[in-house]
């Protein structure tokens, strides 16, 4: 493997590792999910704004694109809120294992989004994913609320990825993230203001929470988003998809090392998660082969 390709591949693994660490940070931060996401998006927005000013990038986009960016920003805000809520009410392992369904939700929605017919094996894989979820639900019934929240978050993540799949083709990642993070934090600001949640206590965080939030906003959000899109220019989408599937594995291992027995689940739970992960990988393999046949 050429040095440049190896460098980008290792960089991708580092980014995926960072994404897995995001869930751990969500557990370490003691404030609720909604203010957590507000701080995360707000700080990341300011950092990306500074980056755009430093690079002298143009922010002007067509009205239709702006509307799509605003919708995407609201979707990603709700995705993060439900994701961190799932972690708070259950644990990192439950949230990340269930979040593995996100790639498959995207696969099932692609026919509608791109106007193509549903492929037979996609239906079969959908049933297999449901089997994996059934095993997880059946074994860890006390985490039912967390699993449902993580499923909602996974669905929103899939919607966001489909929207961004079109946007990133014609617009710079930093400009996309500027509008998406800005509209997302604006949505949360309006909700928090109307519900009267802003107060002195809202901004009175512990030193540890401030430290974790700064890492979450800078490294795990602003840096990871821009870096991941840049890496995709040098590595095939298929390799990116397979590598991204390591996120729940990295996250679950990190959570077990940091939080110990609170992250330990029954063997059947991991079986259900493995079924979901294997199905997502198999779906990606078949899609990649199909694309290669079309090229040939």
């Amino acid at each position: 493997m050429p040095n440049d390709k190896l460098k980008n591949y290792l960089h991708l693994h580092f980014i995926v590792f960072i994404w897995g660490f995001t869930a751990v940070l969500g557990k370490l931060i003691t404030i609720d999910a909604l203010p957590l996401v507000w701080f995360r998006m707000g700080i990341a927005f300011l950092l990306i704004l500074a980056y755009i000013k430093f690079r002298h990038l143009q922010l002007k986009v067509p009205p239709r694109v702006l509307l799509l960016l605003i919708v995407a920003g609201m979707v990603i805000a709700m995705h993060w809120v439900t994701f961190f809520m799932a972690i708070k009410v259950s644990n990192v392992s439950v949230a990340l294992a269930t979040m593995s369904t996100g790639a498959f939700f995207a696969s099932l929605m692609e026919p509608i989004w791109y106007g193509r017919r549903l492929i037979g094996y996609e239906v079969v894989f959908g049933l297999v994913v449901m089997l994996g979820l059934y095993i997880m639900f059946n074994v860890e019934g006390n985490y039912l609320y967390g699993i449902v929240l993580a499923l909602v978050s996974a669905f929103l993540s899939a919607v966001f990825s489909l929207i961004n799949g079109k946007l990133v083709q014609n617009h710079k990642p930093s400009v996309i993230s500027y509008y998406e993070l800005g509209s997302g934090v604006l949505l949360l600001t309006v909700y928090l203001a109307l519900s009267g949640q802003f107060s002195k206590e809202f901004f009175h965080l512990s030193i540890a929470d401030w430290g974790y939030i700064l890492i979450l906003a800078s490294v795990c959000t602003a840096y990871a988003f821009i870096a991941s899109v840049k890496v995709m220019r040098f590595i095939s989408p298929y390799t990116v998809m397979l590598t991204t599937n390591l996120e729940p594995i990295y996250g679950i291992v990190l959570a077990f090392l940091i939080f110990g027995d609170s992250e330990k689940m029954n063997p059947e739970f991991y079986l259900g998660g493995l079924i979901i992960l294997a199905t997502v990988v198999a779906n990606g393999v078949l899609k990649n082969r199909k694309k290669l046949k079309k090229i040939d």
Side-chain angles (χ1 to χ4, degrees), residues 49-202:
L49 175 61
Y51 173 80
I52 288 172
K53 293 294 184 182
F54 176 75
R55 295 289 303 274
H56 303 290
L57 300 176
Q58 292 294 323
L59 288 171
K60 189 176 181 180
V61 295
R64 287 185 62 185
V65 174
L66 178 60
L67 180 61
L68 200 57
L69 286 166
I70 291 171
V71 172
M74 293 179 176
V75 169
I76 195 63
M78 296 312 299
H79 155 66
W80 279 335
V81 169
T82 49
F83 174 64
F84 287 116
M85 284 179 67
I87 292 172
K88 300 288 185 182
V89 302
S90 56
N91 61 27
V92 173
S93 298
V94 168
L96 285 177
T98 310
M99 280 294 295
S100 300
T101 59
F104 200 77
F105 277 132
S107 174
L108 292 179
M109 286 189 287
E110 273 183 13
I112 301 170
W113 187 249
Y114 293 107
R116 66 167 176 81
R117 66 183 183 84
L118 191 67
I119 302 170
Y121 68 75
E122 291 176 337
V123 178
V124 175
F125 283 161
L127 296 173
V128 176
V129 168
M130 288 175 65
L131 172 63
L133 286 171
Y134 171 77
I135 294 172
M136 290 170 62
F137 270 100
N138 198 43
V139 173
E140 298 295 343
N142 53 323
Y143 289 132
L144 178 61
Y145 186 38
I147 293 174
V148 171
L149 283 170
L151 276 175
V152 173
S153 183
F155 175 78
L156 292 171
S157 173
V159 173
F160 176 75
S161 67
L162 289 174
I163 295 174
N164 258 17
K166 286 190 174 181
L167 290 171
V168 79
Q169 294 174 10
N170 302 305
H171 304 280
K172 292 184 179 295
S174 51
V175 175
I176 292 172
S177 58
Y178 167 82
Y179 283 109
E180 289 178 346
L181 290 170
S183 57
V185 78
L186 179 61
L187 171 70
L188 297 181
T189 300
V190 171
Y191 176 81
L192 288 167
L194 291 176
S195 58
Q197 295 189 46
F198 284 125
S199 62
K200 287 184 178 180
E201 289 73 22
F202 183 90

Side-chain angles (χ1 to χ4, degrees), residues 213-230:
I213 288 172
L214 286 172
I215 295 171
L216 182 63
S218 59
V219 179
C220 301
T221 308
Y223 161 76
F225 184 90
I226 295 173
S228 64
V229 176
K230 186 178 179 180

